[in-house]
């Protein structure tokens, strides 16, 4: 590494670091889609099988799993996960005092 290389610590949200509007929503969608892909893979579904279960065309599912999220709300993504027989729990709690900003996190059990 050269002496003029500057390293900046990220915030933990790449969308925030890149200046996206609504970075928490982008990160939430990315995590939900990552989880959707993991479930499909773990269950051995093809994209055709999974698309029939969630009610989405195979080509659209393929685009979604490759990060094309425009037009998909968090609510719709949660619906896809529920169609794959997953329970969804939303927990709202007070932000710890040692963290400056609130956050949204997806935790897969």
């Amino acid at each position: 590494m050269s002496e003029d290389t500057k390293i900046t610590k990220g915030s933990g949200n790449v969308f925030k670091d890149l200046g996206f509007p609504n970075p928490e929503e982008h990160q939430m969608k990315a995590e939900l889609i990552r989880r959707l892909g993991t479930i499909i893979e773990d269950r051995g579904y093809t994209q055709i099988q999974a698309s029939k279960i969630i009610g989405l065309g195979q080509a659209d599912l393929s685009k979604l799993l490759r990060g094309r999220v425009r037009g998909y709300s968090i609510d719709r993504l949660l619906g896809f996960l529920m169609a794959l027989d997953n329970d969804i729990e939303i927990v709202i709690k007070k932000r710890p005092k040692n963290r400056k900003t609130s956050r949204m996190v997806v935790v897969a059990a």
Side-chain angles (χ1 to χ4, degrees):
M1 217 181 283
S2 67
E3 290 181 27
D4 61 342
T5 300
K6 181 179 177 186
I7 298 174
T8 303
K9 183 177 179 181
S11 68
N13 182 335
V14 67
F15 301 103
K16 181 178 181 180
D17 296 342
L18 293 173
F20 279 64
N22 305 314
E24 293 83 12
E25 181 179 345
H26 286 289
Q27 183 148 345
M28 174 77 67
K29 286 181 177 183
E31 185 57 31
L32 292 172
I33 292 165
R34 187 194 69 76
R35 184 68 185 141
L36 181 66
T38 299
I39 290 167
I40 291 168
E41 184 179 322
D42 287 351
R43 294 185 185 173
Y45 293 148
T46 65
Q47 284 187 4
I48 293 171
Q49 291 169 320
S51 66
K52 288 178 183 176
I53 294 168
I54 67 173
L56 188 66
Q58 181 276 325
D60 291 331
L61 177 58
S62 177
K63 290 176 189 172
L64 181 63
L65 294 174
R66 288 184 285 128
R68 306 281 168 91
V69 299
R70 183 166 288 159
Y72 295 96
S73 65
I74 289 173
D75 184 52
R76 191 164 182 205
L77 297 173
L78 292 173
F80 294 156
L81 290 164
M82 290 176 65
L84 290 167
D85 294 326
N86 292 279
D87 286 336
I88 306 291
E89 293 180 22
I90 298 174
V91 177
I92 300 170
K93 60 185 181 179
K94 185 156 178 57
R95 172 183 53 85
K97 292 182 189 275
N98 65 345
R99 193 172 357 97
K100 293 182 180 182
T101 59
S102 297
R103 66 181 182 181
M104 289 192 288
V105 178
V106 175
V107 178

